[in-house]
Amino acid sequence: QQQVKQSPQSLIVQKGGIPIINCAYENTAFDYFPWYQQFPGKGPALLIAIRPDVSEKKEGRFTISFNKSAKQFSLHIMDSQPGDSATYFCAALKGSGSRLTFGEGTQLTVNP
Amino acid sequence: DTEVTQTPKHLVMGMTNKKSLKCEQHMGHRAMYWYKQKAKKPPELMFVYSYEKLSINESVPSRFSPECPNSSLLNLHLHALQPEDSALYLCASSQGWGENSPLHFGNGTRLTVT
């Protein structure tokens, strides 16, 4: 059972565009939602994270929007650059647990 | 460079071989993890060690045997693997658990079973 659904599977934008990646979750016990960025040949790295009591969080060009009632959250990348080309995974965590539930991933390509 | 170091970077082994993957972190983290990642898929949790003791085994086949010799080291012993076990094996560590302890991943070992 997929507990975190992520879309789209792949996304191509031009430099300067604003790619948006969406995730939806089912389990209301999740209370922490990180995003990971993974470049080819590298391990995932934490990009930004949010708690459900916050509707938006910005770190540099990356913004998470969170809709608790809809059980949805999304990642926006402002002024996207070719260096942002990577696979992005949303994830969810319950309390003080150690089991991250990942979405299926989105492969982002930013063309010059 | 990542603070979680994995060796080797690449490994090719036959189905009758025995090999080990190694992971090291010097951040003083108390939890260490093994994940398996197939191409174009998210990481899948295999094992979690907490204070050098195995705390989670996600029903992983016994041909994968984890070991945590000390708080900085994590091994994954491989024996009689199948071709479908070919994947990127990621080690991760965290200070503790929950939202204040994000995972730090290594760059993985790319395993090919022939």
Side-chain angles (χ1 to χ4, degrees):
Chain A
Q1 181 186 5
Q2 187 182 2
Q3 294 194 55
V4 179
K5 294 184 180 180
Q6 183 173 346
S7 63
Q9 221 173 0
S10 63
L11 186 54
I12 301 174
V13 300
Q14 292 299 121
K15 178 182 173 181
I18 306 176
I20 300 173
I21 303 170
N22 299 299
C23 287
Y25 64 98
E26 298 166 3
N27 190 338
T28 54
F30 290 139
D31 58 6
Y32 177 67
F33 301 88
W35 285 87
Y36 283 82
Q37 179 189 54
Q38 186 175 23
F39 293 106
K42 302 291 186 183
L46 179 65
L47 187 62
I48 186 173
I50 197 168
R51 284 184 52 84
D53 52 356
V54 175
S55 61
E56 185 177 277
K57 183 174 182 181
K58 289 184 182 179
E59 285 187 7
R61 295 184 293 107
F62 299 92
T63 299
I64 303 178
S65 297
F66 195 91
N67 185 331
K68 186 174 180 179
S69 60
K71 293 188 284 185
Q72 295 175 347
F73 57 110
S74 59
L75 176 71
H76 301 231
I77 305 176
M78 304 302 180
D79 187 27
S80 59
Q81 301 296 313
D84 295 328
S85 298
T87 299
Y88 292 82
F89 293 99
C90 62
L93 184 68
K94 283 185 279 189
S96 60
S98 54
R99 280 190 181 90
L100 267 178
T101 299
F102 284 95
E104 287 294 296
T106 296
Q107 187 169 352
L108 172 66
T109 302
V110 181
N111 289 325
Chain B
D1 286 340
T2 180
E3 296 167 320
V4 177
T5 304
Q6 291 188 244
T7 56
K9 287 186 169 55
H10 301 274
L11 178 63
V12 179
M13 60 185 290
M15 289 189 284
T16 58
N17 291 158
K18 287 184 181 180
K19 297 286 185 184
S20 296
L21 309 184
K22 297 185 184 302
C23 174
E24 191 167 1
Q25 59 87 12
H26 293 288
M27 296 178 282
H29 286 178
R30 298 172 289 178
M32 296 188 78
Y33 309 72
W34 281 114
Y35 281 83
K36 172 183 178 180
Q37 187 177 29
K38 301 284 265 186
K40 299 187 186 297
K41 290 293 185 183
E44 297 173 39
L45 184 63
M46 300 175 71
F47 303 104
V48 181
Y49 272 82
S50 167
Y51 291 101
E52 303 167 43
K53 293 190 188 305
L54 184 65
S55 61
I56 295 176
N57 176 343
E58 293 285 50
S59 302
V60 179
S62 60
R63 57 186 184 269
F64 296 91
S65 175
E67 177 196 23
C68 190
N70 61 54
S71 60
S72 299
L73 294 175
L74 187 65
N75 298 322
L76 186 63
H77 303 296
L78 314 173
H79 173 55
L81 295 193
Q82 304 298 309
E84 58 265 29
D85 296 321
S86 297
L88 181 68
Y89 287 84
L90 293 162
C91 174
S93 69
S94 63
Q95 175 63 38
W97 298 267
E99 65 180 83
N100 295 318
S101 296
L103 291 180
H104 294 251
F105 283 91
N107 287 328
T109 294
R110 176 74 61 188
L111 175 67
T112 303
V113 181
T114 60

